[in-house]
Structure formats: C-alpha cells, structure tokens
Amino acid sequence: MSVEDMLACIEPFTAARNEEIEVLARSVVRSRKPSQTVIIRESQQPDGLYVVLRGRVNLVRAADGGRDLILTSLGPGDVFGESCAVEGVGASTTAVTAVATDIARIPADVLSAHLRRDSNTLVRLMKLMSEKLSEVESVASGLALCDVEERLRRTLVRLAKRQGRHSPADEGWILAPVPTQSELARMVGSCRETVSRTLSAMARNGLLSSSGRRMILGETLMGNSAAP
C-alpha cells in the first residue's frame, strides 16, 4: 500500500482532499522500533503525529507506588501524538512499543500547516482526541468501581473491537496477538498471578479460549460486556 493510500484510510485524514494527502505523504518518515522503545514521553510535546503500521504501542501513565498503568493499547491504523497540533501542550501519556513495531511520523509543523488548510481533518482530530479522553475516563472509572474480573472483561472486549476481528466460524472474536498477562495486569491495575487465575476461570466458564498468542472471545462475553 502506498503512503497516500495508507493516510487516506485512517483517521483523522479520511475526508482530506487528495492534494493535501499528497503533501502529507511526502513528509512521512517511516521507522521500525524494537520492543520497549519509548517514542513519546508523558508531559513532553510530541514531535509529530504517529501512525502504527505494524505491531503494538501502549499508552502508559505512571501510577502510585512506582508502578505504571497501560491506559490503552494501539494497533495498526491507530494514531497517537495528537497533542503535537496544539502549541505548548505536552503528551498526557508515555507511548512505548509493546513489540517490534513499524510506525510512520508526520512532522508536527507539517501537520499544523495541513490543519490550517483543511478544516475537515481538524474536526476529525478533535473528535479523535475526545474519544481517547472518554476511553481513559472509562478505564479510570472501571478501576474505581469494578472488580478485577469485570475490568479484565471490559479490557479484552475493548481490545477485540479495536484490534481483533469477528469470526462466526470460531463463534466469537479473534484477538491476535493478545497482550501478555503482565501487560493485561498493567491494563487492569492488578498483578499477573491474579490475571492468570481470572483468565483460567473465564476459560472454564466458556467465555474465552486461547492458544499461544491467539485468544477467542465468545459471543456471550462480547455481548454482555459494558465496555464502550
């Protein structure tokens, strides 16, 4: 897929004019980052808008006790670093690769110039930022109000809807590669051992099944979850 085609099919550029897509495409810088590479640090202004091409990027925030919390996990087609478009505003989270990841970066000055010329992208970028904020608020609410099992259910459903695919033949949603149990623990504010026991109980109850880095979430789990 060409850079132009890639940009045209991801938010916030889906309504941008063709000539604008061509200008953006000429500025794109592609790179491959090893696992656990910090791309953007919390509170620092990003140097551009990033697109995940392959792999996975976790958005992390420091928590009490020296631990950190994974607020969301991004896969192919997802973007991060949106605050680069707002002068003087730093990133609200640290972006770190979960696995070896291919990314594309649109420099901040190129994006800002594009936004001044194309209001359609600006509106979509604001909507994207609002949706991410709502997701973070949902995660925070779950940490305060839900037990570990419910938080894990919501997290798996959210990941499946964002990064997985519906497979009627498998009677559920396929999530692959599924985050490690340690990553899931950091997403739900628990420990790996508790997550492991909870996943085993959910499997015994027929809610999910897994093999290696592949997990199938049953229709019952997907239908009953309150995750957005």
Side-chain angles (χ1 to χ4, degrees), residues 165-184:
R165 60 183 177 85
H166 188 221
S167 176
D170 292 296
E171 299 182 344
W173 287 64
I174 296 176
L175 178 60
V178 67
T180 66
Q181 291 184 359
S182 294
E183 284 181 290
L184 288 172

mmCIF file of all heavy atoms in Angstrom, residues 165-184:
data_model
loop_
_atom_site.group_PDB
_atom_site.id
_atom_site.type_symbol
_atom_site.label_atom_id
_atom_site.label_comp_id
_atom_site.label_asym_id
_atom_site.label_seq_id
_atom_site.Cartn_x
_atom_site.Cartn_y
_atom_site.Cartn_z
ATOM 1 N N ARG A 165 -10.935 -9.317 15.177
ATOM 2 C CA ARG A 165 -11.884 -9.476 14.066
ATOM 3 C C ARG A 165 -12.940 -10.489 14.460
ATOM 4 O O ARG A 165 -12.670 -11.454 15.173
ATOM 5 C CB ARG A 165 -11.169 -9.934 12.793
ATOM 6 C CG ARG A 165 -10.449 -11.264 12.899
ATOM 7 C CD ARG A 165 -9.706 -11.597 11.622
ATOM 8 N NE ARG A 165 -8.957 -12.838 11.718
ATOM 9 C CZ ARG A 165 -9.466 -14.048 11.499
ATOM 10 N NH1 ARG A 165 -10.753 -14.176 11.155
ATOM 11 N NH2 ARG A 165 -8.715 -15.126 11.610
ATOM 12 N N HIS A 166 -14.145 -10.252 13.955
ATOM 13 C CA HIS A 166 -15.253 -11.160 14.238
ATOM 14 C C HIS A 166 -15.138 -12.389 13.353
ATOM 15 O O HIS A 166 -14.930 -12.272 12.145
ATOM 16 C CB HIS A 166 -16.582 -10.451 13.990
ATOM 17 C CG HIS A 166 -17.760 -11.243 14.433
ATOM 18 N ND1 HIS A 166 -18.915 -11.327 13.702
ATOM 19 C CD2 HIS A 166 -17.965 -11.999 15.544
ATOM 20 C CE1 HIS A 166 -19.791 -12.084 14.329
ATOM 21 N NE2 HIS A 166 -19.235 -12.509 15.458
ATOM 22 N N SER A 167 -15.258 -13.553 13.956
ATOM 23 C CA SER A 167 -15.137 -14.807 13.208
ATOM 24 C C SER A 167 -16.292 -15.735 13.562
ATOM 25 O O SER A 167 -16.221 -16.484 14.538
ATOM 26 C CB SER A 167 -13.797 -15.491 13.530
ATOM 27 O OG SER A 167 -13.702 -16.738 12.884
ATOM 28 N N PRO A 168 -17.395 -15.692 12.775
ATOM 29 C CA PRO A 168 -18.523 -16.585 13.052
ATOM 30 C C PRO A 168 -18.118 -18.050 13.080
ATOM 31 O O PRO A 168 -18.670 -18.840 13.855
ATOM 32 C CB PRO A 168 -19.484 -16.287 11.890
ATOM 33 C CG PRO A 168 -19.139 -14.901 11.459
ATOM 34 C CD PRO A 168 -17.662 -14.793 11.638
ATOM 35 N N ALA A 169 -17.131 -18.427 12.250
ATOM 36 C CA ALA A 169 -16.693 -19.822 12.215
ATOM 37 C C ALA A 169 -16.120 -20.264 13.555
ATOM 38 O O ALA A 169 -16.236 -21.436 13.944
ATOM 39 C CB ALA A 169 -15.651 -20.017 11.114
ATOM 40 N N ASP A 170 -15.492 -19.322 14.267
ATOM 41 C CA ASP A 170 -14.922 -19.633 15.583
ATOM 42 C C ASP A 170 -15.873 -19.272 16.720
ATOM 43 O O ASP A 170 -15.523 -19.377 17.892
ATOM 44 C CB ASP A 170 -13.604 -18.876 15.777
ATOM 45 C CG ASP A 170 -12.507 -19.386 14.860
ATOM 46 O OD1 ASP A 170 -12.111 -20.550 15.017
ATOM 47 O OD2 ASP A 170 -12.066 -18.637 13.974
ATOM 48 N N GLU A 171 -17.063 -18.812 16.373
ATOM 49 C CA GLU A 171 -18.095 -18.450 17.341
ATOM 50 C C GLU A 171 -17.611 -17.383 18.315
ATOM 51 O O GLU A 171 -17.789 -17.488 19.537
ATOM 52 C CB GLU A 171 -18.586 -19.688 18.106
ATOM 53 C CG GLU A 171 -19.217 -20.739 17.199
ATOM 54 C CD GLU A 171 -19.742 -21.940 17.967
ATOM 55 O OE1 GLU A 171 -19.351 -22.092 19.135
ATOM 56 O OE2 GLU A 171 -20.551 -22.687 17.412
ATOM 57 N N GLY A 172 -16.970 -16.359 17.768
ATOM 58 C CA GLY A 172 -16.519 -15.280 18.633
ATOM 59 C C GLY A 172 -15.635 -14.303 17.905
ATOM 60 O O GLY A 172 -15.668 -14.197 16.685
ATOM 61 N N TRP A 173 -14.862 -13.573 18.689
ATOM 62 C CA TRP A 173 -13.932 -12.580 18.170
ATOM 63 C C TRP A 173 -12.513 -13.065 18.407
ATOM 64 O O TRP A 173 -12.175 -13.509 19.500
ATOM 65 C CB TRP A 173 -14.138 -11.239 18.868
ATOM 66 C CG TRP A 173 -15.400 -10.535 18.454
ATOM 67 C CD1 TRP A 173 -16.686 -10.954 18.649
ATOM 68 C CD2 TRP A 173 -15.481 -9.290 17.766
ATOM 69 N NE1 TRP A 173 -17.568 -10.045 18.134
ATOM 70 C CE2 TRP A 173 -16.862 -9.009 17.590
ATOM 71 C CE3 TRP A 173 -14.547 -8.385 17.299
ATOM 72 C CZ2 TRP A 173 -17.317 -7.856 16.959
ATOM 73 C CZ3 TRP A 173 -14.984 -7.233 16.668
ATOM 74 C CH2 TRP A 173 -16.358 -6.973 16.498
ATOM 75 N N ILE A 174 -11.682 -12.944 17.373
ATOM 76 C CA ILE A 174 -10.290 -13.371 17.479
ATOM 77 C C ILE A 174 -9.423 -12.162 17.796
ATOM 78 O O ILE A 174 -9.476 -11.152 17.113
ATOM 79 C CB ILE A 174 -9.810 -14.036 16.179
ATOM 80 C CG1 ILE A 174 -10.597 -15.325 15.928
ATOM 81 C CG2 ILE A 174 -8.320 -14.334 16.239
ATOM 82 C CD1 ILE A 174 -10.255 -15.991 14.611
ATOM 83 N N LEU A 175 -8.608 -12.304 18.845
ATOM 84 C CA LEU A 175 -7.649 -11.273 19.218
ATOM 85 C C LEU A 175 -6.257 -11.893 19.127
ATOM 86 O O LEU A 175 -5.933 -12.828 19.863
ATOM 87 C CB LEU A 175 -7.909 -10.777 20.639
ATOM 88 C CG LEU A 175 -6.955 -9.711 21.194
ATOM 89 C CD1 LEU A 175 -6.998 -8.468 20.322
ATOM 90 C CD2 LEU A 175 -7.323 -9.369 22.632
ATOM 91 N N ALA A 176 -5.448 -11.401 18.195
ATOM 92 C CA ALA A 176 -4.107 -11.953 17.995
ATOM 93 C C ALA A 176 -3.196 -10.894 17.387
ATOM 94 O O ALA A 176 -3.587 -10.238 16.417
ATOM 95 C CB ALA A 176 -4.161 -13.192 17.102
ATOM 96 N N PRO A 177 -1.995 -10.694 17.930
ATOM 97 C CA PRO A 177 -1.513 -11.349 19.151
ATOM 98 C C PRO A 177 -2.122 -10.702 20.390
ATOM 99 O O PRO A 177 -2.243 -9.474 20.452
ATOM 100 C CB PRO A 177 -0.001 -11.119 19.102
ATOM 101 C CG PRO A 177 0.133 -9.833 18.347
ATOM 102 C CD PRO A 177 -0.973 -9.822 17.328
ATOM 103 N N VAL A 178 -2.517 -11.512 21.349
ATOM 104 C CA VAL A 178 -3.092 -10.993 22.575
ATOM 105 C C VAL A 178 -1.964 -10.455 23.457
ATOM 106 O O VAL A 178 -0.849 -10.989 23.437
ATOM 107 C CB VAL A 178 -3.886 -12.109 23.298
ATOM 108 C CG1 VAL A 178 -2.958 -13.195 23.804
ATOM 109 C CG2 VAL A 178 -4.721 -11.541 24.429
ATOM 110 N N PRO A 179 -2.186 -9.383 24.195
ATOM 111 C CA PRO A 179 -1.153 -8.896 25.114
ATOM 112 C C PRO A 179 -0.759 -9.973 26.122
ATOM 113 O O PRO A 179 -1.532 -10.876 26.430
ATOM 114 C CB PRO A 179 -1.839 -7.712 25.811
ATOM 115 C CG PRO A 179 -2.867 -7.251 24.840
ATOM 116 C CD PRO A 179 -3.370 -8.500 24.172
ATOM 117 N N THR A 180 0.448 -9.869 26.631
ATOM 118 C CA THR A 180 0.904 -10.817 27.649
ATOM 119 C C THR A 180 0.082 -10.628 28.922
ATOM 120 O O THR A 180 -0.569 -9.586 29.121
ATOM 121 C CB THR A 180 2.385 -10.606 27.976
ATOM 122 O OG1 THR A 180 2.547 -9.316 28.590
ATOM 123 C CG2 THR A 180 3.245 -10.687 26.712
ATOM 124 N N GLN A 181 0.132 -11.617 29.804
ATOM 125 C CA GLN A 181 -0.585 -11.496 31.069
ATOM 126 C C GLN A 181 -0.041 -10.342 31.904
ATOM 127 O O GLN A 181 -0.794 -9.685 32.625
ATOM 128 C CB GLN A 181 -0.511 -12.811 31.838
ATOM 129 C CG GLN A 181 -1.305 -13.932 31.179
ATOM 130 C CD GLN A 181 -1.310 -15.213 31.990
ATOM 131 O OE1 GLN A 181 -0.708 -15.298 33.061
ATOM 132 N NE2 GLN A 181 -1.998 -16.231 31.479
ATOM 133 N N SER A 182 1.249 -10.074 31.802
ATOM 134 C CA SER A 182 1.826 -8.933 32.524
ATOM 135 C C SER A 182 1.257 -7.624 31.992
ATOM 136 O O SER A 182 0.952 -6.697 32.766
ATOM 137 C CB SER A 182 3.349 -8.940 32.395
ATOM 138 O OG SER A 182 3.900 -10.060 33.062
ATOM 139 N N GLU A 183 1.107 -7.524 30.652
ATOM 140 C CA GLU A 183 0.521 -6.317 30.074
ATOM 141 C C GLU A 183 -0.932 -6.167 30.502
ATOM 142 O O GLU A 183 -1.378 -5.067 30.858
ATOM 143 C CB GLU A 183 0.604 -6.372 28.551
ATOM 144 C CG GLU A 183 1.970 -6.097 27.978
ATOM 145 C CD GLU A 183 1.961 -6.136 26.461
ATOM 146 O OE1 GLU A 183 1.803 -7.232 25.885
ATOM 147 O OE2 GLU A 183 2.102 -5.060 25.859
ATOM 148 N N LEU A 184 -1.682 -7.258 30.463
ATOM 149 C CA LEU A 184 -3.085 -7.208 30.875
ATOM 150 C C LEU A 184 -3.200 -6.763 32.334
ATOM 151 O O LEU A 184 -4.104 -5.997 32.689
ATOM 152 C CB LEU A 184 -3.747 -8.572 30.680
ATOM 153 C CG LEU A 184 -4.009 -8.990 29.227
ATOM 154 C CD1 LEU A 184 -4.487 -10.446 29.170
ATOM 155 C CD2 LEU A 184 -5.043 -8.077 28.571
#
